[in-house]
Amino acid sequence: LKMSGAAAAASEGTGTYYYDTDDAYNFYLELWGGEHCHVGIYDPEPEANPETCMKASDVALEKLMELCTPALQGGGKRAMDMGAAYGGCARGLHKKFDCKVVCIELSKKENDVNIKRNKELGLEEAIIVPGELSFDDTKEPSDSIDCCVSEDSILHAGSGRAKVVAEAARVLKKGGLFVFSDIMQRDAVDPAALSRVYARLGLEDMGSPAKYVEWAAQAGMRLKRYEDFSPQIAAHYGTIRKMLQGPTRDKLRGKVSDKYVESMIEGLGAWVDASNAGNLAWGFFVFEKI
């Protein structure tokens, strides 16, 4: 449950990006083990423990990589992860396709974890972490990337989501693929039904499947595929909520404040309710640069 928009920027006045605050950094690192922090694909009635969460994250990554195959198979290709966090996706892509991956991430602490892991694995030349960069201004050359990926990150761009899609189109080679998952509102949903979620995120809206198709078309890309996994939102956030209400909370004591955990439990409840009401969408897009 990453925060975004005004909520993510709120701590910038103190010179600290939200995901670099101690509470947020330790929360995601402890719960996901420093590899992933995105929605997973769960078995029915999952057990509420970190192992379940990490397994579900791996399954979601496998789905993403499956969709990347046409663009990255054969070796020697270049990929870019927009909102790379700890680099788990980048390392997965490199292992599967023997490709180089540029990691775009605004959080210095998450970049530091990524760099440390890559160094431990001897992957400094394969996984490039160019510093703290926004995914709407990646500094990468135009027409230089075979495949752009993103895992539940574009949500956090708020009103700048169309700019992120346009940036992916700019850096992609002709025929290259933009493969990503994102947490969205359903097309034509009543915004009032999502007021608790918006308040939690510090946003006025979220993207939707139709909006992404529209933004991609404006940027010169066409939809090749969309796979809907919307029920996984409730499964994911519901599982984490149960973890925080059980033994996992003890694991966080001394690392994450009680106030942060209580706020997170309340926020997760809003996500689960909105998902169960059918107001949220989550799935994987494949767009091709024309």
Side-chain angles (χ1 to χ4, degrees):
L1 175 62
K2 276 208 165 189
M3 305 280 277
S4 65
S11 53
E12 288 182 358
T14 65
T16 305
Y17 178 54
Y18 172 81
Y19 296 108
D20 285 343
T21 62
D22 289 342
D23 275 343
Y25 173 74
N26 289 330
F27 178 81
Y28 295 110
L29 192 65
E30 289 295 327
L31 256 66
W32 274 269
E35 281 294 302
H36 307 293
C37 49
H38 56 82
V39 175
I41 297 176
Y42 291 77
D43 294 329
E45 300 182 11
E47 294 184 16
N49 57 53
E51 292 74 26
T52 296
C53 188
M54 283 186 266
K55 177 187 173 185
S57 294
D58 287 339
V59 174
L61 176 58
E62 286 295 331
K63 167 52 68 175
L64 183 93
M65 293 195 298
E66 171 195 319
L67 297 172
C68 292
T69 300
L72 293 178
Q73 61 188 349
K77 303 295 179 68
R78 292 188 83 234
M80 183 169 76
D81 187 355
M82 306 176 83
Y86 309 115
C89 176
R91 285 184 288 277
L93 289 170
H94 172 69
K95 182 177 180 180
K96 186 175 181 70
F97 298 110
D98 191 27
C99 60
K100 288 194 173 183
V101 187
V102 179
C103 293
I104 304 299
E105 175 56 55
L106 200 56
S107 166
K108 183 180 188 305
K109 285 189 175 181
E110 290 182 353
N111 280 333
D112 287 347
V113 172
N114 192 359
I115 291 167
K116 182 174 183 288
R117 293 277 163 85
N118 297 333
K119 188 173 182 179
E120 290 169 352
L121 296 169
L123 297 176
E124 301 103 312
E125 298 296 319
I127 312 294
I128 299 126
V129 185
E132 289 68 63
L133 291 171
S134 172
F135 47 23
D136 64 2
D137 184 17
T138 66
K139 311 299 184 185
E140 286 296 303
S142 299
D143 309 304
S144 64
I145 301 291
D146 296 287
C147 186
C148 286
V149 301
S150 186
E151 294 177 297
D152 307 337
S153 291
I154 306 176
L155 165 74
H156 311 309
S159 61
R161 293 180 198 107
K163 292 181 181 179
V164 179
V165 175
E167 178 69 356
R170 183 188 69 79
V171 301
L172 280 172
K173 299 174 182 177
K174 184 177 180 180
L177 298 183
F178 184 23
V179 182
F180 69 95
S181 62
D182 205 26
I183 306 163
M184 303 166 281
Q185 61 190 43
R186 287 283 188 189
D187 295 323
V189 71
D190 179 1
L194 289 171
S195 58
R196 287 175 64 206
V197 172
Y198 295 156
R200 177 69 189 167
L201 292 169
L203 293 171
E204 295 180 359
D205 66 1
M206 301 163 74
S208 70
K211 277 293 184 184
Y212 278 116
V213 173
E214 176 187 331
W215 294 329
Q218 292 170 351
M221 295 188 289
R222 64 183 175 192
L223 179 68
K224 290 181 68 72
R225 189 169 179 177
Y226 174 67
E227 293 195 24
D228 185 80
F229 286 86
S230 296
Q232 294 296 332
I233 296 177
H236 179 70
Y237 291 137
T239 299
I240 296 171
R241 193 168 192 263
K242 289 177 184 175
M243 287 164 57
L244 294 179
Q245 294 171 321
T248 300
R249 181 159 185 172
D250 292 334
K251 183 180 178 183
L252 299 175
R253 294 194 191 281
K255 299 175 182 177
V256 180
S257 69
D258 286 342
K259 181 180 178 182
Y260 184 92
V261 173
E262 287 299 327
S263 176
M264 186 63 72
I265 290 171
E266 182 179 345
L268 291 165
W271 281 104
V272 172
D273 291 345
S275 178
N276 287 334
N279 293 326
L280 296 176
W282 182 69
F284 295 83
F285 291 91
V286 181
F287 288 105
E288 179 184 18
K289 182 173 179 177
I290 302 170

